Amino acid sequence: MQITVGHRIDGKENSVEGERFAEIYNPATGEVSRRVALASAATVDVAVEAAAAAFPAWRDTSLARRTQVLFAFRQLLDARKTELAAIITDEHGKVFTDALGEITRGQEVVEFACGISHLLKGSMSENASTKVDVTSIRQPLGPVAIISPFNFPAMVPMWFFPIAIAAGNTVILKPSEKDPSAANWIADLWAEAGLPPGVFNVVHGDKVAVDRLLDHPDVKAVSFVGSTPIARYVYQRAAINGKRAQALGGAKNHMVVLPDADLDLAADAAVNAGYGSAGERCMAISVLVAVGDIADELVERIRARAVTLRTGNGREDVDMGPLVTEQHRDRVASYIDAGEEGGATVVLDGRTVTPYGDPEGFWLGPTLLDNVTTEMPVYTDEIFGPVLSVVRVDSYAEALEMINTNQYGNGAAIFTNDGGAARRFQNEAEVGMVGINVPVPVPVSYHSFGGWKNSLFGDTHAHGTEGVHFFTRAKAVTTRWLDPSHRGLDLGFPQNN
Ligand code: NAD
């Protein structure tokens, strides 16, 4: 009988009778492996009620106790992360070591959140007025929703929930319906770590569940990560309903290679960042901007490396796994077709890949397109697959102009040995994350992750101190302890003296 992935609400595996379902595939075999429940609005309401009921006790749980639970979660995760990585590989398709890598990056946020008692320290001004003290504190919001994409089923939720929980909030996670099982494994781990029921809930579903989370009056904040059109929609609907929202969207990340760069280093970086996780990363490099007369040499060095990559079942010793669904694979391949028809040179063609794995898997090999121009859909659209497009330009100014006029502004990288040029790029590139000789500049957990322009709606980035800020709200307390000398009436506006 087919296994059903159900919700985790209030510490329990919930009944999914009468709900709609979606099929979950193993992308390396093309087979349906299980099915996932798609929550109705009523099921979302049950989860929000559980989170609301758990909130008063959790927000009043001491920082010391909250930290102990987080620390226990971190220890369990570290010890058992291979179990989670296997689940990710089987539902997402990325290679096992890459799955382990995403868990490790998520774990770093858990480690950051273990320092919550330091991060939540308020500030106090003694004698702001005579014998009057003012204290600023930050308090949790209540139940918060996290809505995550398919491409990082563990790391992206972990950008948010460790800090949300550490700060005293309760959480409803709505993961992608394409690879939902990681979320349930995480919920079970929280229970084992001693988190009280109702503090971390998982609701599976699609637009119906998302809309109810956006409309439910008891959901106080929404952290969303996904494609730009949905991010814009989520941000607007959450904001209209008076919720705090941060919605991270799509990307088109450029890597600029200046003529003085080390071309071997740049070629290694382009291959790693272009084809890692089959290009299904929001920080993947999808456009390589070759400046000046290095283009022929650089393209050849990238081709020579990319041709050696093994595409296959991520449980085996391969470099790149399948794409997440057949439909997505076909969509990415259609961009290669269009690029070729539009005049791009197909230097390496992933459509003809021979996989190390089941022929029915959703395969597409590494693809390198040269002579791409900025009008081609392969350049303008987010493709989210193993397709690296090379655009040739004559100058740094042209490269910068491309980045700054692009609708997306997640990340951008420059490869050069010229410190002055790198310094200029850091200053001038209109993106949220810049890499200097680093192709995938995902910041560490104690800094914050986020893009500009259509790559992020809202003003707060993920994790780091901005994450703590997002999951708490400010309160200023003005205090005067009267002594007998202060007796008397005075109806004037309070003045500081
Ligand atoms: P997606 O937008 O299809 O789905 C994201 C989430 O939204 C899922 O939970 C999904 O169930 C839900 N959803 C889908 N359609 C919806 C609708 N009509 N109304 C309400 N909710 C809906 O994204 P995806 O394909 O799962 O993930 C890939 C996308 O995510 C890419 O665009 C990628 O760039 C982006 N992404 C961005 C970042 C970032 O940090 N900026 C990180 C990871 C992924």
Side-chain angles (χ1 to χ4, degrees), residues 270-271 275 288 298-304 306 336 344-350 365-370 372 386-390:
V271 170
Y275 305 121
L288 187 130
L298 184 57
V299 167
E300 173 48 27
R301 291 190 198 194
I302 293 171
R303 190 205 62 77
I336 306 172
T345 313
V346 183
V347 179
L348 186 62
D349 192 345
T367 299
L368 183 60
L369 299 181
D370 195 2
V372 170
V387 181
L388 185 60
S389 297
V390 179

Side-chain angles (χ1 to χ4, degrees), residues 419-469:
R423 171 70 178 68
R424 222 182 123 184
F425 187 74
Q426 162 190 322
N427 180 251
E428 295 175 340
E430 292 180 13
V431 298
M433 294 167 282
V434 167
I436 295 172
N437 298 319
V438 173
V440 183
V442 175
V444 290
S445 61
Y446 40 98
H447 287 261
S448 297
F449 180 106
W452 289 7
K453 300 187 275 189
N454 283 343
S455 294
L456 190 147
F457 302 93
D459 56 2
T460 314
H461 290 194
H463 62 69
T465 48
E466 293 208 20
V468 178
H469 201 274

Side-chain angles (χ1 to χ4, degrees), residues 184-435:
N184 284 11
W185 188 92
I186 288 168
D188 293 344
L189 207 71
W190 271 123
E192 213 176 315
L195 192 71
V199 177
F200 182 81
N201 307 278
V202 179
V203 168
H204 297 288
D206 55 9
K207 180 172 167 52
V208 171
V210 172
D211 283 352
R212 184 57 189 150
L213 287 168
L214 297 175
D215 292 346
H216 198 298
D218 287 347
V219 172
K220 302 301 178 193
V222 178
S223 296
F224 172 91
V225 182
S227 56
T228 287
I230 312 290
R232 184 185 283 111
Y233 163 79
V234 165
Y235 181 73
Q236 289 174 347
R237 189 154 173 168
I240 283 170
N241 286 329
K243 300 183 198 313
R244 184 175 290 202
Q246 53 181 182
L248 286 68
K252 195 82 190 176
N253 305 309
H254 297 65
M255 171 173 154
V256 178
V257 184
L258 295 187
D260 72 308
D262 178 326
L263 294 191
D264 283 319
L265 183 73
D268 285 346
V271 170
N272 296 339
Y275 305 121
S277 201
E280 291 174 327
R281 288 180 183 150
C282 66
M283 288 294 279
I285 293 294
S286 53
V287 183
L288 187 130
V289 190
V291 180
D293 58 7
I294 54 164
D296 287 344
E297 185 56 35
L298 184 57
V299 167
E300 173 48 27
R301 291 190 198 194
I302 293 171
R303 190 205 62 77
R305 286 160 169 79
V307 81
T308 67
L309 298 179
R310 292 153 304 163
T311 303
N313 188 326
R315 291 290 203 118
E316 309 295 332
D317 182 22
V318 295
D319 301 295
M320 217 177 78
L323 294 192
V324 68
T325 59
E326 183 173 26
Q327 188 191 26
H328 184 55
R329 189 268 317 273
D330 292 347
R331 181 179 172 275
V332 176
S334 75
Y335 276 101
I336 306 172
D337 299 342
E340 190 173 26
E341 281 159 27
T345 313
V346 183
V347 179
L348 186 62
D349 192 345
R351 294 169 295 188
T352 56
V353 71
T354 307
Y356 291 80
D358 193 316
E360 298 304 316
F362 309 140
W363 308 112
L364 189 70
T367 299
L368 183 60
L369 299 181
D370 195 2
N371 299 304
V372 170
T373 59
T374 52
E375 307 80 48
M376 294 179 183
V378 72
Y379 173 81
T380 55
D381 296 2
E382 181 184 40
I383 299 175
F384 224 55
V387 181
L388 185 60
S389 297
V390 179
V391 181
R392 297 171 175 233
V393 298
D394 293 327
S395 65
Y396 164 85
E398 269 181 82
L400 184 73
E401 170 82 2
M402 277 173 65
I403 292 169
N404 288 355
T405 53
N406 196 282
Q407 63 157 318
Y408 298 110
N410 223 31
I414 190 165
F415 277 69
T416 179
N417 284 313
D418 179 341
R423 171 70 178 68
R424 222 182 123 184
F425 187 74
Q426 162 190 322
N427 180 251
E428 295 175 340
E430 292 180 13
V431 298
M433 294 167 282
V434 167

Side-chain angles (χ1 to χ4, degrees), residues 14-56:
N14 293 76
S15 162
V16 292
E17 278 166 35
E19 299 209 326
R20 297 169 301 126
F21 299 92
E23 291 179 328
I24 306 168
Y25 289 86
N26 180 336
T29 63
E31 285 167 359
V32 174
S33 59
R34 47 186 78 187
R35 64 175 192 169
V36 60
L38 302 177
S40 62
T43 301
V44 173
D45 286 355
V46 174
V48 177
E49 277 160 29
F55 176 61

